[in-house]
Structure formats: structure tokens, C-alpha cells
Amino acid sequence: MPPRELSAPREGSQGRGGDPAPVRGGMDVTELKTRFAQALATHTGLELGAVEAAIARPPDLALGVFAFPCFPLAKTLRKAPPAIAAEIVASAQAPEGTELVAAGGYVNLRLQPGILARQAVESVQAWQTTSRVSGSGVGRTVLVDYSSPNAGKELVYHHIRSTAIGAALCRMYEAAGWKVEAVNHLGDWGTQFGKLILMWLREHGMDQEAALADLPSVTLSTLNRMYVGFKPAAAEDPAMEEEARLWFARLEAKEAFARTCWERFIEVSIAALNEVYVRFGAKFDHFLGESFYEDKLEATIERIRQAGILEESEGAQVVRVGDDIPPCLIRKRDGATLYATRDLAAAIWRHEHFGCDRALYVVDAGQSFHFRQVFEVLRRMGEPCAHGCIHVPFGLVLGKGEDGNWSKVSTRSGTGAPLPDVMDRAAARIRETMVSLAEKRALENPSREQDSFSDRELDQVSEAIGVGALVFNELKSRRAADTRFDLDSILSFEGDTGPYIQYAYARLSSILRKGGEVIAPEAARWSLLCEPETERVASVVSQFPERLDAAVEANEPSVIAQFALELAEAVHSFTHHHRVLEVDATPERMLLVETARRTLAKALTLLGLTPVERM
RNA sequence: GCGCCCGUAGCUCAGUCGGAUAGAGCAACGGAUUUCUAAUCCGUCGGUCGUGGGUUCGAGCCCCGCCGGGCGUGCCA
């Protein structure tokens, strides 16, 4: 029985050269917020923490960078909020480089021209030198269990969801200072391997020696062919079902022939998986499949028994986990163990070997129930790993059916198609677009010098944009939402898409290429970076660390995806409104362009997209 | 039946700790190219935030009821 069936799979930055100058004398965003809070606290008699918690961001950057609502004070002070705001502004001292403005019931903190840009530049320099965007996770370890497909089968499109989310989470945690252990809980055990062994034997006339000798020729498509072929073959010869079960029993008994075949099948599967994983930068520190825990199950059950929570119920062994949900099945009536048993053994083993503070299970929302049970059993066992276990659920990948309605995975809509094939198709479509666009440009503007691409570059760029577009589509919405597979809108250069962000990055890169050297921040005339479009870029850039922290705490890659979109929009607006090269403010604008570019590259990389210099 | 998730513009979605006029993209319509990539930008149109109560100075957000949809629910994984 395959673990985690189709509908339920478990599933570099390119900064420019040049050493960033050391940051000094600057004030980053959080520091500024604290100073603002201090100024307010002394004049309101409120606790610093309470003030800091109340501070919000105004809806419009023109109002300021921070806002303090005075409404809650109205009752105690017995004054109208606008009057309170006016009083605070009159008496409190604004931090250096800022001014306080009363607006309605709010006290807003406004920055002097260019301060925002300076903050952005210094913020990026700070995280660039430590190569970590935020330090909130330093000293802690997180284990991320993701992708976790069945061995012996090809990845199909919907596997992209767990893989993209999990891989992004790994990089996000790393960027926040965590030590990350990425684990692939491969479905590498069960009767399906009895079927594969039997099929392989049949293909060699039931001659074990011949079958063994031919093992090196096994590829993923061999496995796939046998997997698909078993059902029709067994329909003709019903005895095969029993034979397959027998072969799995021999595998469990470590019988040499079965074991050797199985090892080769797993080896081929992992190699094939890695070929796909590398295309979205998914990496695993450990492939620890279900088979790995087989010899640890009895000890796990013994531990449950010793905790005094194992009960007999209707012939099975169970643990009661609450009044509102059914008990967690540990051992079936026939003595066999279950999915939950393996997850319990895995949770305990992993915690003992990796010492992780947090363990994420990036598995679809359909298995919420299962994880609730497993985590509750761990808690009742008194296992220390229990409190750090977090199920990170996500919605379905929907495809458009022939009737035009969105529905679950199916081969026809493309969501059940092999994942590498879809990636190839996406890359090919981007390649076509690039070529036809180049032709169009040459026609419309024959005098202008056009970028030309070698075949190799064209391949690399279209791969990065095409695959990146697929990944971005899976990450841009909240995990809980279902995503929709519609290649046309995914690959569009317009709207909330990967290519739109890539284009912003390529534009910035192009400007930097043509602009040459970037000045040191110490030499910058900050007040020249004061237009609304310029400040918008600076504002978004300077929010990166806090947004990353929020994303990590919520285990939500979409927070980073939305951030990347916001930054891309700000960048497009900026480059459209303001010339960077050959103007008075060129040195300063170049500095901002470089800062935005580095930030965009980092955000894209966190999500699993490869930034492209030209497109 | 019970549990979990979801319901925001015609469509797809954001909306942070409850805070200022609920924001984007697509679609539709109208503009912008002597300009570093127009794969872009700017504007117009479009909302009883499913619904009825409650808490609050203030609710898309919190609480309760109802309606609609999805997923799950004892020997699969």
C-alpha cells in the first residue's frame, strides 16, 4: 500500500562585487521604532513595550513611516484623540532626522528627505555582511520534513507544492539564522515493492540470476512501467497479488534477492528525484525513508506501553487522544503497524539525533487529523519533541477540467502530468516568448542595439524563468488556499507572476552593468533620494528583515512572495519615473538600484527562483 | 453527525498586533515610448468584506448563531 497517495503526498544571491563599507552612525528601522516608542513613552506614561506594540505603519508613506494611535488614551486622559496627538507632538522630542506630525488621532513619525534611503542601504549592507537577513533564529535548529513522495514512481505536477513550500521554508529559516535539517521521508517500503520485484522477475523469465545481472539497467521509467503494468497483469493472473505480498514478506525478512532489487530501485528513485529537485534548488540533508524506521517500531510501541497509555480496543492497540477524536491506531488487529506508528518512531528518532527545537511537517491539509493524533500521542508519552512538532498544511493543486471547472488532480488537466515534463513545457514556452519578443523589438526599433543571446544562454534563462514561474505560482498565495494550474497565467509577464519579478531584477541588473562603479554610502548625498517612487523602493527594502521574521513565524513563504511582488512593483515604478544614468543624482540612484537588486535577488532565491541578469 | 479549513471587486488573490479612505493583479476602457529592456508605467471602471447578532472609542480581522463550499473522520498512507 503506497504511503501518501497522489491526493495526499507528504510533500544564489548574485550580489555585485565590492566590499560593503562598515555600517556606522546609522539607525535601522527597528532601532528607529524603539526611539519613537521611547519618545512617546515618556510623554504618555505608558510602558515602552506597550507603546511599541501599538505602533503601526500608516497606510500611505506620505503620512510617515510609523504611526501611534492615541484613541486608547482618550478615556484615561479624558481628552479627544486629536488633542492628545497635538500635545504629544508639541512636547515630545523627535529622534534625530525625523519629525513628529499630528494627523487626526495619530502621531506620525516622518523622516527627513533621504533618511529612508540611507536606512535601506545600511540595512542591506548589514545583512549582506552577516549573510543572514535576520538573526532571530540563531542558536536554534529546525527540522523540515517535506516533499516525501513515494519511491519507485515519477513525480507528478502536484508534488511541486510540498517541495516548493518546504524548500522555501528551509532557506527562509536559514536566512533567519536557524540551523536547518532538511529531511525527505521517502515512501520506500510496503507491498508496492513486492509488486515491483515480482514484475522485474517476470521480465526476466523468473530467472533470479538474470534479473540480478540486469539491475544496472533499471531506470525510473523501468520502475514506472512496472508499477503501471502490475494492475493489468494481475487482472489476467490473480495469483500475482499473493506472490507480490510474498515478495514483500521476503524483503522484510532481508532475503538477499529481494533486498538487492529493492536497494537498486531506491537508488534509482533517489537519483531521479534529485534530478528534479535540483531544478528548483530543493536540497535534502537526509533521505530517511519509511524503511529506515522499520527496526525501531517495536521499541517505540514499548515506549508507548511504558508510558501507560497503550490500550486494547476492538482487537487493535490504540492510544486515546481526546474525547472529540477517535483514538490513534498503533497496531492493527493482525499485528501490523501503521502509518502513525512510523511517524511516532520517526519523530522520536529525529529529535534524539538532530536535537531540533522545531520540527515542520510540510504535508497537505488532508492529513491534519493524522498529525493531530500523532502529536497528541507524543505529548501523552511525555516525549520532549512533542511541543516542537508543527504540521505545516497546504491546500490542493487544482486543474481546469474539460467543463471549465477547477478540480482535483487529473492527468487531463495537466496536474497529474510528470513534473519534469511540465517544467520543460514551461521553459519552452518562455523561450518562444523571448525569441518572438526579440524579433518584435528589432522590427520596432531597428536603430537600437539589442541584447543577443546564445542558445545556451537562452536555455538557461528560459529554464530559470519557466521553472521559477511554476514555483512562484505555488508560493504566492497563503498555504491554506488551493492553487490553480493554468500555464497561460502562470507564465504571463503581466501581473502577479514570477516573470514580472524577474523582469524587475533584469532591469536593475542592466542599469548596473551600464552604470559601472557604485559609490560608497559614506559619499552619498542622501537628500537627493527623496521622490515618492524612490522612497517607496527604500521603504520596501528596509522592511525585509521584519517581513522575513513574520514569514518564518507563520511558516508562510507567501509573505516573502508578496514582499518580492511589492518590491518589483516599486522598482518598475521607480525606473519608469526616474532616469538613473547621466543625471545629477546618478551616484545615489545607482546605490539604491544596487540595494534593491540585492534585496530582490535574496527574496527570489529564498523562494527558489534563480534571478536572471538579462531576459 | 462530528472535526478542520475557506467565503473580500466579474475572475484570481493581498490585507501584519483590531486603527486612518478595504488594496493588488487579470479582464474592460483611456493614456504614456527623442527614455538605462514598453515583458513596463499612469489613469478610469468595479465592494451590503457570505449573513444575523455581540465585544470595542474603533471589526474584513476577535466571540456566538446561521448559510454556502472544500477536506477529513477506527484497523490505507
Side-chain angles (χ1 to χ4, degrees), chain A residues 132-137 142 144 164-180 360 475 479 544-545 547-561 602-608:
Chain A
R132 125 163 53 82
V133 178
S134 151
S136 59
V142 62
V144 185
I165 292 172
L169 286 173
C170 287
R171 286 180 293 254
M172 285 158 50
Y173 270 87
E174 253 162 32
W178 292 69
K179 182 176 189 315
V180 175
L360 308 184
L475 299 180
R479 288 185 335 254
F544 193 31
R547 297 285 281 273
L548 176 67
D549 284 343
V552 165
E553 275 326 295
N555 297 308
E556 262 295 7
S558 71
V559 172
I560 301 299
K602 188 67 183 178
L604 284 171
T605 308
L606 289 182
L607 295 171

Side-chain angles (χ1 to χ4, degrees), chain A residues 438 441-451 503 507 514:
Chain A
R441 280 188 198 135
L443 262 169
E444 284 177 356
N445 214 334
S447 59
R448 196 191 296 172
E449 196 185 327
Q450 303 289 341
D451 277 358
Y503 181 53
R507 289 291 307 273
K514 290 173 180 162

Side-chain angles (χ1 to χ4, degrees), chain A residues 103-393:
Chain A
Y106 294 87
V107 176
N108 292 332
L109 182 81
R110 274 216 300 240
L111 297 181
Q112 284 167 8
I115 301 289
L116 204 53
R118 195 183 79 189
Q119 276 185 0
V121 169
E122 286 171 356
S123 156
V124 172
Q125 279 197 325
W127 61 253
Q128 196 89 24
T129 48
T130 58
S131 74
R132 125 163 53 82
V133 178
S134 151
S136 59
V138 171
R140 287 192 281 173
T141 300
V142 62
L143 183 143
V144 185
D145 172 332
Y146 74 102
S147 195
S148 306
N150 289 318
K153 285 202 281 186
E154 59 190 350
L155 287 178
V156 292
Y157 185 73
H158 74 269
H159 286 112
I160 193 175
R161 198 87 205 271
S162 174
T163 310
I165 292 172
L169 286 173
C170 287
R171 286 180 293 254
M172 285 158 50
Y173 270 87
E174 253 162 32
W178 292 69
K179 182 176 189 315
V180 175
E181 301 284 356
V183 173
N184 196 320
H185 190 77
L186 203 60
D188 62 356
W189 204 243
T191 46
Q192 76 265 31
F193 288 95
K195 294 178 184 175
L196 290 178
I197 292 165
L198 175 59
M199 289 297 280
W200 183 244
L201 203 47
R202 282 168 64 100
E203 290 195 1
H204 294 81
M206 303 305 280
D207 179 343
Q208 292 199 10
E209 257 176 60
L212 280 179
D214 197 26
L215 275 179
S217 76
V218 173
T219 64
L220 188 70
S221 60
T222 316
L223 297 178
N224 215 51
R225 184 185 69 224
M226 296 195 297
Y227 191 91
V228 174
F230 182 85
K231 211 174 170 185
E236 272 183 36
D237 180 3
M240 281 181 68
E241 294 282 357
E242 186 48 38
E243 279 183 71
R245 266 192 292 276
L246 218 63
W247 276 111
F248 179 59
R250 289 177 188 141
L251 176 58
E252 282 188 297
K254 295 189 169 23
E255 194 266 321
F257 173 75
R259 191 85 192 173
T260 309
C261 288
W262 175 81
E263 276 167 8
R264 173 61 183 162
F265 295 166
I266 297 304
E267 178 188 44
V268 166
S269 294
I270 291 179
L273 286 171
N274 277 329
E275 263 178 49
V276 183
Y277 289 149
V278 76
R279 295 179 74 175
F280 23 0
K283 283 190 207 124
F284 292 93
D285 302 298
H286 315 278
F287 276 86
L288 292 171
E290 300 192 297
S291 63
F292 180 77
Y293 301 103
E294 280 305 302
D295 61 3
K296 298 163 182 67
L297 297 178
E298 288 308 322
T300 304
I301 295 175
E302 188 49 35
R303 253 160 116 149
I304 301 171
R305 192 193 318 280
Q306 277 168 13
I309 55 176
L310 196 65
E311 293 179 41
E312 189 97 357
S313 170
E314 297 170 33
Q317 292 180 311
V318 308
V319 175
R320 301 198 184 281
V321 288
D323 297 332
D324 57 335
I325 47 172
C328 182
L329 272 285
I330 303 296
R331 199 198 286 279
K332 295 201 283 184
R333 208 181 332 214
D334 66 5
T337 56
L338 292 113
Y339 181 45
T341 324
R342 273 186 291 281
D343 263 336
L344 289 166
I348 294 166
W349 187 90
R350 289 161 169 185
H351 188 261
E352 285 173 357
H353 282 77
F354 299 126
C356 40
D357 302 281
R358 220 179 255 187
L360 308 184
Y361 292 78
V362 186
V363 183
D364 76 290
Q367 294 184 53
S368 299
F369 194 80
H370 161 74
F371 284 110
R372 228 178 107 193
Q373 289 183 317
V374 168
F375 297 163
E376 183 58 24
V377 171
L378 290 171
R379 201 185 65 76
R380 292 183 183 218
M381 287 173 74
E383 288 296 330
C385 63
H387 77 280
C389 286
I390 302 171
H391 177 211
V392 180

Side-chain angles (χ1 to χ4, degrees), chain A residues 586-606:
Chain A
T586 291
E588 285 73 21
R589 286 184 183 163
M590 284 283 286
L591 193 55
L592 185 71
V593 163
E594 187 193 47
T595 295
R597 179 176 171 275
R598 284 184 172 177
T599 307
L600 204 46
K602 188 67 183 178
L604 284 171
T605 308
L606 289 182

Side-chain angles (χ1 to χ4, degrees), chain A residues 52 57 95 160 172 535:
Chain A
E52 216 158 348
R57 286 187 184 276
I160 193 175
M172 285 158 50
E535 292 204 314

